[in-house]
Amino acid sequence: MNELLKVEDLVVRYGGMTAVDGMSMSIRAGEVLALVGESGCGKSSTARAVVGMERPAEGTVLFRGTAVPPLGLRRRRTEFTAIQMVFQDPNSSLNPRKRVGEQIADGVRAAQARGLNSARPDSWLEAVGLQPEMTTRYPHQFSGGQRQRIAIARALAAKPDLIVADEPISALDASSQASVAAMMRRLCLEAGAGMLFISHDLSVVRLMADRVMVMYRGSVVESGPTPLVWSEPVHPYTEALLGAIPHPDGRGVLPAAPAAEAPEEWASTLPEALSRQVETR
Amino acid sequence: MTTMLTLENLTVELGPKDARRQVVRGVSLNLQAGRIQGLAGESGSGKTVTAMAVLGLLPASARVTGSARLGEVDLTSLRPRELNRIRGRRVAMVFQDPSASLHPQITIGAQLTDHLRHHLGLKRKAAQRQAMELLARVKVPHPQEALSRFPHQFSGGQRQRIAIAIALACDPEVLLADEPTTALDVTVQAGILHLLRELVDERDLAVLLVTHDLGVMSAVADDVAVMRDGRVVESGTRAQMFTDPQHPYTRQLLEAMPDAQESEVL
């Protein structure tokens, strides 16, 4: 088993508030795992713990069998540059004062430090659908959507084994969201990497995640292969979540609305909803 | 059908004198009683500025030409004081962020009753009774207790319900809703969409719904106009727009939706 990431019984607390309440997961090379759920359900806190931006209160986060060290002010240990992140706001990961080519070159150097070859910055720009000669420009000379493509190029240039993407497409225009998500999946799989993809947009998740974990109030309530969870949700929260998606089919059908804002059954634990498998006969 | 609000050749220029930009270029729309007119488009297409122009909420430097007629009055030609009497009374609004329309340090009850007393001249008792009825109508749980609470004591979805209650307090003819569910979780969004539809049907409201979300548009809008670069490139009934789009840009928007694409995973 080519297991990249193993998270066991992770608990993340902020003061007295428990954001993640004992979640476990694993990601293999060449697979996209999506975390979905409402805002505040703990999906972003899980991602931050995976990359070392939050210190777990309990539980472990292992990357290739080694605990992920907390991110500090100092440079990351070389072997952990194999985990790369993409955030919702590309401005948070791009330096406004540096040409984008140089920033992508930083990623290339991170790959080289681990003894890997990476392509040149201009070909990374091409890979994410931008013109190669744009390397000499600064971030402010690009649109928001282009900046996010650059952030993705920079992350990929480091030749990561694991990409952690927290709402990477939410700030993009609706018409480019699906294509950027598909591009991320393609480039990630071509590189043989794994991806933890966090999104509140369930239609996009259906498009690109091999497996999905549905979180509610800090816990995973349902998990399994995306097509199975989509077609036959078992947990009442998953059912409500999927039923509430409005579809652009022009039929004027209101999506199903839950009777109450947060029915108690949503927080219930159903063992049969966890780690679901497609039945083979 | 009764036309409540007519936009005719509405044009908006923003920016300083020496660098004016046309962001809305000749938009014409008719809002009908009891119908939701959707205004779709990507960020920067001019859809929000169109709604703001109707309400006179643009910066003083903005230049608005064309007209926005509410019955016999052209909203674009009113002086600020005259517009104040209409805004909130005959034309109300709901924004993406309910916190923008709720005062954080004043109880929900005081905000609702102030509004009712100011616009409708109700006495304190009557205003309080009506405030409670409004909260009950938008399905805020425990409306009586809710009156004495502050905005931060409610969830995002409930805050948006309260913002809708305030918008509807004076029984307006027209409601402008700018991305009213965009900041909400999808299950909460579904509840707000149901509420919006019910309110339109029972009050014969004319609604301008600005949203980039074509799923939301398909769920509640009766008519849809698609904007690009300040212009309406296509408009028609919901069914026409979604099933038989004529303009290449509308087709492009629909084809880009995740729903329109085959899953790579399956």
Side-chain angles (χ1 to χ4, degrees):
Chain A
M1 280 287 255
N2 203 350
E3 194 174 74
L4 291 171
L5 180 76
K6 190 164 186 65
V7 174
E8 268 185 324
D9 304 318
L10 174 70
V11 176
V12 178
R13 291 198 188 97
Y14 301 105
M17 205 271 287
T18 304
V20 180
D21 196 3
M23 86 90 70
S24 302
M25 66 173 167
S26 67
I27 298 180
R28 289 186 301 272
E31 110 175 311
V32 177
L33 171 67
L35 287 184
V36 303
E38 61 186 26
S39 46
C41 71
K43 53 192 196 299
S44 286
S45 298
T46 302
R48 291 169 64 85
V50 165
V51 298
M53 291 170 74
E54 297 296 342
R55 197 184 286 271
E58 287 170 41
T60 52
V61 177
L62 301 179
F63 175 67
R64 293 200 180 285
T66 314
V68 176
L71 262 182
L73 291 174
R74 272 183 292 166
R75 189 178 284 268
R76 209 154 231 260
R77 259 159 59 192
T78 311
E79 73 239 54
F80 289 104
T81 61
I83 306 178
Q84 288 290 322
M85 297 146 263
V86 180
F87 299 98
Q88 174 168 358
D89 179 7
N91 300 323
S92 64
S93 45
L94 294 178
N95 183 340
R97 293 181 196 82
K98 258 172 107 172
R99 297 179 195 275
V100 300
E102 294 168 41
Q103 304 195 48
I104 297 172
D106 289 341
V108 173
R109 274 190 291 278
Q112 286 164 345
R114 301 199 318 279
L116 298 171
N117 287 323
S118 183
R120 291 198 348 232
D122 55 348
S123 49
W124 280 116
L125 277 185
E126 222 173 349
V128 296
L130 296 173
Q131 267 103 55
E133 55 276 10
M134 289 175 166
T135 47
T136 55
R137 296 199 192 167
Y138 290 92
H140 74 268
Q141 295 173 289
F142 294 90
S143 71
Q146 289 175 325
R147 278 199 284 265
Q148 189 62 297
R149 288 174 190 265
I150 294 163
I152 292 166
R154 195 203 52 82
L156 290 168
K159 291 289 201 137
D161 295 328
L162 177 67
I163 298 167
V164 177
D166 189 0
E167 300 277 6
I169 54 166
S170 308
L172 306 182
D173 253 324
S175 67
S176 57
Q177 288 187 351
S179 61
V180 171
M183 179 196 80
M184 288 183 75
R185 176 180 168 84
R186 180 171 50 78
L187 293 173
C188 171
L189 298 193
E190 276 172 13
M195 176 151 61
L196 179 62
F197 183 84
I198 290 168
S199 178
H200 71 279
D201 188 334
L202 298 152
S203 317
V204 169
V205 165
R206 182 196 64 98
L207 212 60
M208 68 172 295
D210 301 285
R211 279 192 301 133
V212 61
M213 300 184 99
V214 183
M215 290 186 77
Y216 185 69
R217 298 199 172 166
S219 304
V220 175
V221 294
E222 182 153 0
S223 60
T226 311
L228 177 66
V229 172
W230 239 251
S231 54
E232 302 159 44
V234 178
H235 195 280
Y237 177 65
T238 314
E239 239 175 290
L241 199 59
L242 296 175
I245 305 172
H247 296 287
D249 52 14
R251 286 166 49 213
V253 178
L254 283 164
E261 210 164 79
E264 266 175 40
E265 54 173 16
W266 286 3
S268 61
T269 310
L270 288 184
E272 67 269 31
L274 299 172
S275 306
R276 297 179 60 195
Q277 301 287 337
V278 181
E279 277 176 46
T280 46
R281 47 182 107 187
Chain B
M1 282 199 282
T2 324
T3 301
M4 306 305 287
L5 182 72
T6 308
L7 308 189
E8 224 172 72
N9 205 17
L10 193 74
T11 299
V12 180
E13 289 178 11
L14 293 178
K17 251 200 195 106
D18 49 345
R20 284 196 175 280
R21 279 178 312 120
Q22 249 191 17
V23 288
V24 177
R25 308 165 190 232
V27 167
S28 300
L29 287 172
N30 285 315
L31 303 203
Q32 317 281 353
R35 285 178 85 81
I36 298 178
Q37 168 71 57
L39 195 53
E42 301 193 274
S43 41
S45 62
K47 54 194 195 303
T48 291
V49 175
T50 301
M52 297 294 234
V54 171
L55 289 164
L57 291 177
L58 294 171
S61 64
R63 221 173 66 193
V64 181
T65 55
S67 65
R69 279 199 320 279
L70 177 73
E72 66 297 342
V73 272
D74 177 5
L75 298 176
T76 62
S77 67
L78 293 183
R79 275 187 295 251
R81 276 191 53 189
E82 298 169 316
L83 198 56
N84 264 338
R85 271 199 295 267
I86 287 182
R87 198 161 48 203
R89 170 79 183 83
R90 295 181 63 193
V91 182
M93 58 223 134
V94 176
F95 301 101
Q96 173 171 344
D97 179 7
S99 311
S101 36
L102 299 175
H103 192 295
Q105 289 165 316
I106 300 178
T107 63
I108 298 305
Q111 297 191 49
L112 264 167
T113 49
D114 281 357
H115 195 67
L116 289 162
R117 294 175 71 188
H118 172 77
H119 281 294
L120 302 182
L122 294 186
K123 292 272 182 342
R124 180 179 298 275
K125 272 273 167 59
Q128 269 173 355
R129 197 176 333 114
Q130 196 158 337
M132 206 185 83
E133 281 168 16
L134 278 163
L135 286 184
R137 177 61 199 91
V138 298
K139 296 182 185 152
V140 169
H142 314 295
Q144 179 72 58
E145 293 94 89
L147 287 173
S148 55
R149 296 218 177 104
F150 294 92
H152 74 267
Q153 294 173 294
F154 296 89
S155 68
Q158 284 167 357
R159 273 202 291 270
Q160 194 59 292
R161 286 174 188 270
I162 293 164
I164 292 173
I166 293 177
L168 297 181
C170 301
D171 218 359
E173 298 145 58
V174 176
L175 176 70
L176 308 183
D178 188 3
E179 304 275 3
T181 60
T182 304
L184 304 175
D185 288 315
V186 64
T187 54
V188 177
Q189 164 174 282
I192 299 285
L193 295 179
H194 275 263
L195 177 65
L196 185 64
R197 186 74 251 178
E198 285 166 23
L199 291 168
V200 168
D201 293 347
E202 76 191 29
R203 294 174 174 236
D204 236 9
L205 262 178
V207 174
L208 181 68
L209 172 69
V210 174
T211 181
H212 73 282
D213 188 325
L214 296 179
V216 166
M217 199 60 97
S218 167
V220 291
D222 299 296
D223 306 291
V224 179
V226 179
M227 277 187 85
R228 184 193 199 180
D229 292 336
R231 291 194 173 86
V232 172
V233 296
E234 181 165 5
S235 68
T237 65
R238 177 191 62 234
Q240 280 167 5
M241 300 297 287
F242 280 93
T243 57
D244 188 22
Q246 299 299 310
H247 196 280
Y249 181 65
T250 313
R251 272 185 236 140
Q252 189 189 322
L253 281 183
L254 288 169
E255 280 159 17
M257 294 294 294
D259 276 64
Q261 299 176 19
E262 276 310 302
S263 167
E264 304 210 0
V265 177
L266 288 175

